[in-house]
Amino acid sequence: MSADGKKQLTFLDPEKLANNARVNDTVFQFLSIVSGVVCGILGFTDLAGFAFFLVFNVFIGAAVVAKLKFQHVHFFPSLDLIFVNGASNSLGTFVLFWTLFYNICHLF
Amino acid sequence: RGRLVCTRHNSASMFDDPHKLASVGGFLLLAHAVSLVISYREDLKISGIEFAGVPLFVLAECLIGSLCCTWGALGFSGEFQPIAQQPRELPPDNMEKMHDFVTFNHRGTGKTRKE
């Protein structure tokens, strides 16, 4: 909104939007491996494991926002593009490494 | 005449990038934590004690390894770029000079046609 109350159009660069989404996805995918390994080491099962996944993803999103110097509006149209997209794309990777390392540490 | 100096802007190997080194170090810490938990579980089996939780030093290793991997991932994954589109100068309008598309057979010829 401008000073006189009228809406203003903001033109976004689609290439930079795609680049930021790709970088965010890379960070979440890599750290979902780490979170799965840590969750398996700590021996979490059932809902405790998924709660750990949510907590860790909040930490990852906060780290990304901190890297953006808390000015995410200049890099992402909305905050949920950081948290929700990143977490939803990395859930499968987390479950894979969680089950693998739980089996290695606590079953075999 | 000046010399041609060739410089490497991108790190050619993993060891030149501190972020990648930090990630590898974090994974090594986590691997060491895995070995510690396995040996801890074996000791519990021998002594007959039920597993209640991992020791504190394993928790500390997991935390430090996670932080190293986080810092490394934020570094080597790439840079975020501002999404606001920068104003750019448009090419000059030279349609008037494109004689190939000029046509004289249009509706306006009916007005000027003499009867």
Side-chain angles (χ1 to χ4, degrees):
Chain A
M1 300 286 285
S2 62
D4 55 358
K6 294 182 181 177
K7 290 185 180 178
Q8 285 185 336
L9 291 177
T10 304
F11 294 95
L12 304 179
D13 193 337
E15 291 181 0
K16 294 179 182 175
L17 271 173
N19 172 74
N20 291 352
R22 180 183 53 79
V23 172
N24 186 57
D25 193 46
T26 303
V27 171
F28 270 85
Q29 287 280 355
F30 180 79
L31 291 178
S32 69
I33 298 173
V34 174
S35 64
V37 171
V38 170
C39 192
I41 291 172
L42 298 179
F44 289 135
T45 57
D46 297 332
L47 290 177
F50 288 104
F52 179 84
F53 169 75
L54 289 176
V55 170
F56 205 96
N57 274 269
V58 169
F59 163 72
I60 297 170
V64 170
V65 171
K67 186 184 178 184
L68 300 175
K69 298 178 183 176
F70 302 98
Q71 294 179 355
H72 58 88
V73 290
H74 297 307
F75 301 91
F76 289 91
S78 60
L79 207 57
D80 63 324
L81 288 176
I82 299 175
F83 288 91
V84 177
N85 283 13
S88 60
N89 292 336
S90 61
L91 178 61
T93 308
F94 167 80
V95 171
L96 173 68
F97 283 88
W98 173 27
T99 54
L100 177 65
F101 278 85
Y102 182 85
N103 292 338
I104 291 172
C105 295
H106 300 282
L107 293 182
F108 299 136
Chain B
R1 291 180 182 177
R3 287 184 179 177
L4 180 64
V5 178
C6 179
T7 58
R8 287 192 311 179
H9 296 284
N10 297 324
S11 57
S13 68
M14 186 185 66
F15 300 103
D16 294 338
D17 191 358
H19 296 283
K20 292 181 182 176
L21 281 176
S23 301
V24 171
F27 270 112
L28 288 176
L29 273 175
L30 293 177
H32 186 250
V34 168
S35 66
L36 286 178
V37 168
I38 292 172
S39 63
Y40 178 70
R41 292 279 293 199
E42 286 178 355
D43 293 341
L44 287 181
K45 280 181 189 175
I46 293 171
S47 56
I49 302 172
E50 192 176 338
F51 175 75
V54 295
L56 203 59
F57 50 88
V58 172
L59 196 64
E61 275 201 17
C62 289
L63 184 64
I64 295 171
S66 302
L67 289 174
C68 290
C69 288
T70 303
W71 184 77
L74 288 174
F76 70 71
S77 59
E79 291 297 325
F80 292 102
Q81 297 172 352
I83 58 175
Q85 196 167 38
Q86 302 299 324
R88 54 189 174 91
E89 189 176 334
L90 295 174
D93 183 17
N94 57 356
M95 288 294 292
E96 296 175 357
K97 299 178 184 176
M98 294 177 67
H99 300 288
D100 294 339
F101 295 96
V102 176
T103 178
F104 297 100
N105 188 22
H106 53 80
R107 292 179 295 176
T109 56
K111 292 182 182 179
T112 57
R113 189 178 301 158
K114 294 180 179 179
E115 292 185 2

